[in-house]
Amino acid sequence: MRLRGWLLAVIGLLAAVLTPAVSAAIFGQDDRRTLDGQLATLYSGVGVVHAPAPGATGTGALVWRNDLVVTAAHLFFAGGQLRAPLAAYQFIPGDVVTGSLAPYRVTEVYTMSGQPFGLDGADDVAVLRLDRPVNGGAVPLGLPSDPEALNGYRGEAALVAYHADLGARTPMITPCRIRDRVSFAFFWREHPLMYHDCDSAGQSSGGPIVVLENGWPVLGGVHSGHHSQRDFQPFDADYNYGLAVRVNQTLVQLIRSIP
């Protein structure tokens, strides 16, 4: 029994050494902080999108009404196929450990094209319909009144998302900036990606990037991922950057058209 216990201890130690730590894409100073006060109310509609399949957990947010969630399409699709049966997906707003809200089941998923999360990632957005409206006073994010005004927007923003390296227990807010549009000729499309310097980590995918309109937060983009060869370094368009899908008229019309 002693030998068995010793072997289990060695195996556990090797697993801890060989399993890489969850990393984060931090651009300069780590600006992530918990939601409190009015911020907790404004972003009470942000939650975890989860399914028991690799790569199928991320962040989503109620948008427009209390049964529609906007998130990243790559949480649902890989190679054009669902990562897991749709019935396996759940949306859990707020604190996923001590929160009082029960999970909500995803009944439908809508995308902007027949090839969600294609080669260039410009359609990496999914709109989910839940089996019932989220109760408990969760507040949906608003839509921009003029989505095309975001076409060339560069400036202040914030990412509200979960972060695996911090336990992914509750959403956090990260003040940041939208830096530019992705302008590679191969990527250039009507619905382009945006560079941003929002701190993120695993399970941040799908988190809303919010901008202010008349002093009120609206959905400006959907976080898709990051490219980070040098963590804890300043934003750099070649080596360190975040990517998001800009909200445009096509996405706004899709959200408003869902019955």
Side-chain angles (χ1 to χ4, degrees):
M1 293 298 294
R2 287 183 178 179
L3 178 60
R4 181 174 181 272
W6 181 83
L7 285 173
L8 289 175
V10 171
I11 291 171
L13 177 61
L14 286 174
V17 172
L18 296 177
T19 300
V22 177
S23 64
I26 306 299
F27 303 122
Q29 179 179 341
D30 191 339
D31 297 311
R32 299 173 293 177
R33 59 189 179 92
T34 56
L35 295 165
D36 54 21
Q38 185 183 20
L39 290 178
T41 300
L42 285 174
Y43 301 115
S44 56
V46 177
V48 165
V49 176
H50 174 70
T57 298
T59 302
L62 294 175
V63 175
W64 182 246
R65 67 188 204 209
N66 276 49
D67 64 343
L68 295 182
V69 173
V70 175
T71 187
H74 73 255
L75 303 179
F76 285 80
F77 299 95
Q81 303 296 319
L82 281 172
R83 292 180 179 271
L86 192 59
Y89 282 89
Q90 295 180 330
F91 176 71
I92 308 171
D95 190 314
V96 298
V97 177
T98 63
S100 59
L101 295 179
Y104 293 79
R105 189 168 59 86
V106 176
T107 58
E108 295 184 72
V109 56
Y110 303 85
T111 60
M112 294 190 301
S113 74
Q115 295 182 323
F117 192 49
L119 184 61
D120 61 6
D123 292 327
D124 190 16
V125 177
V127 183
L128 319 177
R129 182 156 63 179
L130 305 178
D131 61 337
R132 64 196 190 280
V134 175
N135 57 22
V139 178
L141 280 172
L143 293 167
S145 59
D146 180 12
E148 296 313 309
L150 295 170
N151 187 32
Y153 177 75
R154 300 176 182 84
E156 300 298 321
L159 170 66
V160 185
Y162 293 79
H163 303 267
D165 66 316
L166 299 179
R169 171 174 174 164
T170 185
M172 306 183 74
I173 189 167
T174 303
C176 51
R177 294 181 64 84
I178 295 172
R179 304 294 292 257
D180 207 346
R181 295 174 60 169
V182 176
S183 56
F184 299 119
F186 181 73
F187 288 153
W188 194 256
R189 295 173 55 180
E190 189 275 332
H191 192 71
L193 295 167
M194 303 183 302
Y195 289 123
H196 65 77
D197 60 6
C198 310
D199 297 335
S200 63
Q203 299 188 20
S204 297
S205 292
I209 293 183
V210 297
V211 296
L212 294 181
E213 183 177 281
N214 298 322
W216 196 256
V218 296
L219 183 68
V222 179
H223 176 63
S224 181
H226 67 267
H227 177 82
S228 183
Q229 294 184 2
R230 302 179 301 185
D231 283 359
F232 295 93
Q233 295 291 324
F235 177 92
D236 185 299
D238 293 321
Y239 299 103
N240 236 28
Y241 54 84
L243 288 172
V245 181
R246 173 179 59 85
V247 172
N248 70 353
Q249 192 64 46
T250 302
L251 179 58
V252 168
Q253 289 176 348
L254 171 63
I255 293 171
R256 291 179 171 171
S257 70
I258 296 173

